[in-house]
Amino acid sequence: MDTGTANRYNVSVTSPSAVPPEIPPVLESSSRPQESRRLRYFELGLVLLVAFSRSFIGSLSRFIQGQNTEPVFTAAGWVSGVVSELTALLLLGYVLYRQGRRFRDLGLNFSAKQWATGFWLGVVAYSVASGGAMLMQFMHRAMYGTAVPRMGIGYWAHAGFASIPASMLAPIFEELIVRAYLMTEIMELTGSAALAVAVSVLIQTSYHLYYGWYGALHLGFFFLVLALYFAKSRLALPGILAHGLLNVLALSMRLR
């Protein structure tokens, strides 16, 4: 069609050379989801490293060297522990903020019902842990004829009032990081609740090895109940309260 005919029928004709090149739509790069997953794994590892590396190395060292290496904490040592735990919680808060999430997204919300649930969760977890401890003692006596030698008895022997803030902060610190955050990330990244439970309990038990294998596994039964509950409910507060009850019980025995 020539230009005159086009004008007669009000048809716009544009020279091919005047047509701007077609700009392809901006598509989401296929690598971005994978990059995001890798970043979440990196941040998870970073939080765990900051939170538990020192505790794990110290616990493993005492486990290998035996009961003679049990430390006696000073007031400054307890304060240092509190600062370390607060630092890890601040790092977790920053990571969540960077991801556009809040602690509420890890299951930390408050209701009266959760306080009651936390109490009963603590009772159940303590009962399971006690049953597990008795089973281990029975099996050890059957195999070796003696009770399980215990470590960590002197670990809290000189715990004073400076240990109270650390004992109260520890349930929040542990349950938010090694339970709520760690399990949430593993479940969302892998889709496996069983893997999340196993990794959470394994890590939490590992940095309690200063109690010896018996004491660590005794606590491991307690942690297992809390991990199973979180995997089902995705609520963090009951686990914090249950863990807090255990610490209050232990603290009351130390300060006698």
Side-chain angles (χ1 to χ4, degrees):
M1 180 184 297
D2 61 10
T3 305
T5 305
N7 291 337
R8 189 182 313 148
Y9 291 96
N10 296 320
V11 177
S12 175
V13 176
T14 307
S15 172
S17 61
V19 177
E22 183 179 356
I23 301 176
V26 177
L27 300 178
E28 184 73 17
S29 171
S30 60
S31 65
R32 288 187 181 179
Q34 186 63 27
E35 290 174 358
S36 178
R37 287 172 62 86
R38 282 200 292 262
L39 183 57
R40 286 181 69 174
Y41 276 120
F42 170 78
E43 290 174 336
L44 174 60
L46 178 63
V47 171
L48 293 177
L49 185 67
V50 171
F52 302 115
S53 59
R54 187 176 70 170
S55 298
F56 173 75
I57 294 172
S59 180
L60 183 62
S61 174
R62 295 180 197 113
F63 175 76
I64 294 173
Q65 297 178 32
Q67 190 168 348
N68 292 332
T69 61
E70 291 174 3
V72 175
F73 277 112
T74 62
W78 290 113
V79 172
S80 175
V82 168
V83 172
S84 178
E85 292 179 356
L86 286 175
T87 301
L89 287 171
L90 287 172
L91 174 61
L92 174 59
Y94 168 75
V95 168
L96 293 176
Y97 173 78
R98 194 207 64 77
Q99 296 176 351
R101 295 191 291 169
R102 299 175 296 173
F103 284 101
R104 180 181 293 273
D105 297 311
L106 301 181
L108 185 61
N109 47 64
F110 299 89
S111 71
K113 182 179 179 180
Q114 289 190 53
W115 287 82
T117 301
F119 173 80
W120 290 111
L121 179 62
V123 171
V124 171
Y126 186 83
S127 300
V128 170
S130 299
M134 288 188 290
L135 178 61
M136 288 189 293
Q137 284 285 8
F138 174 80
M139 293 177 63
H140 195 274
R141 286 183 180 275
M143 295 172 63
Y144 302 104
T146 59
V148 180
R150 299 191 179 189
M151 286 177 57
I153 297 174
Y155 191 80
W156 304 105
H158 301 279
F161 288 100
S163 68
I164 295 177
S167 298
M168 296 298 98
L169 179 61
I172 302 172
F173 162 72
E174 291 190 52
E175 296 302 319
L176 279 181
I177 295 180
V178 82
R179 184 90 58 240
Y181 173 59
L182 172 63
M183 290 186 62
T184 296
E185 291 297 272
I186 292 179
M187 285 189 286
E188 291 184 359
L189 290 169
T190 70
S192 175
L195 179 61
V197 170
V199 173
S200 175
V201 174
L202 179 62
I203 291 177
Q204 198 169 23
T205 302
S206 70
Y207 59 78
H208 287 89
L209 281 172
Y210 55 82
Y211 285 122
W213 68 265
Y214 170 77
L217 289 179
H218 184 183
L219 289 173
F221 284 107
F222 187 92
F223 300 145
L224 177 60
V225 175
L226 269 55
L228 290 171
Y229 174 80
F230 182 82
K232 182 177 181 180
S233 69
R234 303 293 290 269
L235 295 174
L237 182 60
I240 293 174
L241 295 173
H243 195 152
L245 288 175
L246 178 67
N247 280 20
V248 168
L249 178 62
L251 186 62
S252 65
M253 297 174 66
R254 296 175 212 156
L255 297 179
R256 285 180 180 177

